[in-house]
């Protein structure tokens, strides 16, 4: 996928992401869907409506295009998922099947993820892109790793720490292989007895790495403590505050965010905004405040250009983000294109919240 500025869009290019179109004069919204092939009429309309550019299918790129690479390439994502699955299976098969090459490959993948994210430090994570695979555990592990590395980058960790953090997060749930599959995939809430069994997975995972000398101490400690909570109410040891190693504190935020926004058999996923609200609400209780602050700088439920519905009934476009409060960006209502509303800093707008992302699909604007 490549971002192409408006003046470089050409007929025949195919959109790789939906583009919202807002007509301030008629108050109509339309959307060009991903997959749409651009015609000159569409490009003219995009220009008229001051759209900055569009994400175009990468096969369509030309010399004129300024590429904005996606932080994680699909091939790397696939490689990571396959590797996680292999290592998890090693856990299941026992000591004689330990393949050190496979573990080394996990570290190599972690390094690639760190380097990819470091090269795109300013890019906020598009969470939807992390959910391409059906298998929850492997997909979840990958999502947690990317988010953990992003948080670590935001906290200015050293490269060697980031590599270990990525590795730790890729395999943080490996101990779940010791939990019966009927419990792991139960399409309903767990009983107390079942939950007690699930709660053993951090220790089982850390034991696996320690017994076979497959990872260093901080990785083992991260695996062991990823369900501890900052206020001491987590498991397995009820550690609190700085007693919880940094990797455990980071992975717990990434883990909860990814779990909340994932489809599970027994509940609908939370929206990114709801999950961020939850994490912010638990900052200082379940989660370390400094980790939550680093997390907030890296996630974006309302990317620039999103169309949102405000609680005062207005429809607006997101024009700027607030690093410390991703739920309260700067928006421009399309009833008044001259006006901007900073929902975070400007007092007069602080009672206005974003109610929803607009998903209007009508094509009338383009047809007219
Ligand atoms: Fe876990």
């Amino acid at each position: 996928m490549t971002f192409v500025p408006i003046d470089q869009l050409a007929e025949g290019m195919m959109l790789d992401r939906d583009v919202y179109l807002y007509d301030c004069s008629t108050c109509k919204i339309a959307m060009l869907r991903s997959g749409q092939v651009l015609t000159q009429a569409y490009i003219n309309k995009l220009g008229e409506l001051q759209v900055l550019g569009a994400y175009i299918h990468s096969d369509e790129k030309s010399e004129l295009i300024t590429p904005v690479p996606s932080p994680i390439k699909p091939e790397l994502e696939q490689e990571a998922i396959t590797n996680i699955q292999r290592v998890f299976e090693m856990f299941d098969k026992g000591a004689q099947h330990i393949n050190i090459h496979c573990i080394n490959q996990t570290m190599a993948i972690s390094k690639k993820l760190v380097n990819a994210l470091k090269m795109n430090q300013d890019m906020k994570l598009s969470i939807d892109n992390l959910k391409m695979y059906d298998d929850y555990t492997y997909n979840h592990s990958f999502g947690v790793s990317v988010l953990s590395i992003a948080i670590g980058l935001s906290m200015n960790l050293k490269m060697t720490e980031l590599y270990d953090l990525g590795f730790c997060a890729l395999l943080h749930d490996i101990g779940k292989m010791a939990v019966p599959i009927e419990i792991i995939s139960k399409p309903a809430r767990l009983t107390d007895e079942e939950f007690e069994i699930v709660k053993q997975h951090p220790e089982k995972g850390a034991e696996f790495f320690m017994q076979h000398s497959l990872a260093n101490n901080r990785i083992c400690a991260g695996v062991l403590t990823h369900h501890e909570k900052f206020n001491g109410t987590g498991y397995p040891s009820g550690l609190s505050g700085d007693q919880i190693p940094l990797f455990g504190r980071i992975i717990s935020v990434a883990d909860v965010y990814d779990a909340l926004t994932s489809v599970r058999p027994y509940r609908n996923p939370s929206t990114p905004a709801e999950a961020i609200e939850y994490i912010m609400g638990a900052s200082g209780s379940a989660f370390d405040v400094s980790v939550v602050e680093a997390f907030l700088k890296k996630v974006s439920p309302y990317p620039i250009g999103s169309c949102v519905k405000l609680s005062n009934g207005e429809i607006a476009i997101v024009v700027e983000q607030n690093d410390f409060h991703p739920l309260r960006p700067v928006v421009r209502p399309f009833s008044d294109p001259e006006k901007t509303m900073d929902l975070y800093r400007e007092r007069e707008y602080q009672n206005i919240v974003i109610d929803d992302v607009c998903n209007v699909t009508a094509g009338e604007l383009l047809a007219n």
Side-chain angles (χ1 to χ4, degrees):
M1 186 191 306
T2 309
F3 183 79
V4 183
I6 184 71
D7 59 337
Q8 295 172 14
L9 288 173
E11 273 191 289
M13 288 180 173
M14 188 198 288
L15 293 178
D16 223 13
R17 275 194 194 168
D18 298 340
V19 181
Y20 290 99
L21 304 171
Y22 323 91
D23 190 329
C24 298
S25 57
T26 62
C27 290
K28 283 185 178 176
I29 308 170
M31 186 168 79
L32 284 177
R33 286 258 183 220
S34 168
Q36 175 71 52
V37 176
L38 290 179
T39 63
Q40 194 55 51
Y42 285 145
I43 295 168
N44 294 346
K45 185 61 87 176
L46 292 169
E48 247 173 62
L49 298 179
Q50 299 181 337
V51 173
L52 298 176
Y55 284 91
I56 295 297
H57 194 269
S58 54
D59 290 348
E60 318 277 338
K61 64 188 169 195
S62 73
E63 287 171 29
L64 289 173
I65 292 168
T66 311
V68 178
S70 172
I72 310 295
K73 295 221 159 38
E75 309 86 69
L76 177 54
E77 189 171 342
Q78 179 68 69
E79 188 186 353
I81 302 282
T82 307
N83 175 264
I84 295 166
Q85 188 167 5
R86 282 205 192 117
V87 181
F88 271 52
E89 284 167 4
M90 269 165 35
F91 177 102
D92 216 20
K93 286 177 181 163
Q96 68 276 24
H97 290 276
I98 299 275
N99 178 347
I100 197 68
H101 171 71
C102 224
I103 298 286
N104 291 340
Q105 203 188 357
T106 312
M107 182 54 86
I109 289 166
S110 173
K111 288 181 180 177
K112 287 187 207 172
L113 291 173
V114 170
N115 293 334
L117 288 164
K118 192 168 174 62
M119 279 170 57
N120 296 282
Q121 283 233 48
D122 295 336
M123 200 180 282
K124 306 250 180 189
L125 290 175
S126 170
I127 302 302
D128 288 348
N129 290 346
L130 303 181
K131 303 199 177 299
M132 287 173 59
Y133 295 87
D134 292 337
D135 192 301
Y136 175 72
T137 300
Y138 309 132
N139 176 46
H140 170 68
S141 300
F142 175 75
V144 171
S145 184
V146 172
L147 198 46
S148 296
I149 293 168
I151 294 171
L153 276 164
S154 184
M155 297 178 84
N156 296 317
L157 298 194
K158 292 181 200 142
M159 291 301 276
T160 49
E161 289 176 302
L162 291 168
Y163 296 154
D164 281 354
L165 175 61
F167 177 101
C168 183
L170 283 168
L171 301 177
H172 73 281
D173 263 346
I174 194 166
K176 281 196 176 166
M177 296 302 276
V179 179
I181 187 72
E182 309 79 61
I183 297 180
I184 291 290
S185 56
K186 185 178 172 183
R189 294 216 172 273
L190 300 180
T191 63
D192 289 348
E193 295 73 29
E194 288 166 338
F195 189 49
E196 286 305 314
I197 297 171
V198 170
K199 279 162 71 174
Q200 296 169 5
H201 80 271
E203 286 167 302
K204 299 275 185 194
E207 267 170 33
F208 171 76
F209 287 115
M210 284 189 283
Q211 272 173 5
H212 306 295
S213 304
L214 298 175
N216 62 32
N217 285 346
R218 66 181 169 205
I219 291 174
C220 294
V223 171
L224 181 63
T225 60
H226 74 270
H227 283 291
E228 298 289 358
K229 290 189 177 157
F230 204 61
N231 59 7
T233 59
Y235 64 87
S237 304
L239 301 178
S240 63
D242 291 346
Q243 288 178 321
I244 308 169
L246 182 61
F247 284 11
R249 280 180 274 144
I250 291 175
I251 293 172
S252 72
V253 170
D255 187 25
V256 169
Y257 181 82
D258 192 85
L260 286 173
T261 53
S262 296
V263 178
R264 305 298 292 130
Y266 50 87
R267 60 158 174 75
N268 289 325
S270 302
T271 64
E274 288 166 342
I276 290 170
E277 197 84 67
Y278 177 87
I279 302 265
M280 288 171 72
S283 178
S285 53
F287 307 119
D288 182 345
V289 175
S290 61
V291 173
V292 173
E293 281 175 5
F295 161 81
L296 293 177
K297 289 181 190 164
K298 287 293 183 180
V299 287
S300 167
Y302 308 119
I304 292 173
S306 304
C307 179
V308 292
K309 185 165 185 228
L310 305 179
S311 55
N312 66 357
E314 293 215 67
I315 305 292
I317 178 170
V318 176
V319 293
E320 199 182 317
Q321 297 188 323
N322 282 313
D323 265 358
F324 291 100
H325 206 317
L327 302 179
R328 305 197 63 77
V330 181
V331 300
R332 178 174 294 154
F334 72 100
S335 60
D336 182 356
E338 300 296 316
K339 181 165 112 180
T340 56
M341 303 160 70
D342 187 331
L343 303 181
Y344 181 56
R345 292 186 185 84
E346 291 181 75
R347 275 189 87 121
E348 58 185 302
Y349 304 128
Q350 282 173 351
N351 62 340
I352 296 174
V353 296
I354 293 176
D355 271 347
D356 209 352
V357 175
C358 287
N359 242 347
V360 182
T361 57
E364 316 98 43
L365 182 63
L366 297 168
N368 293 338

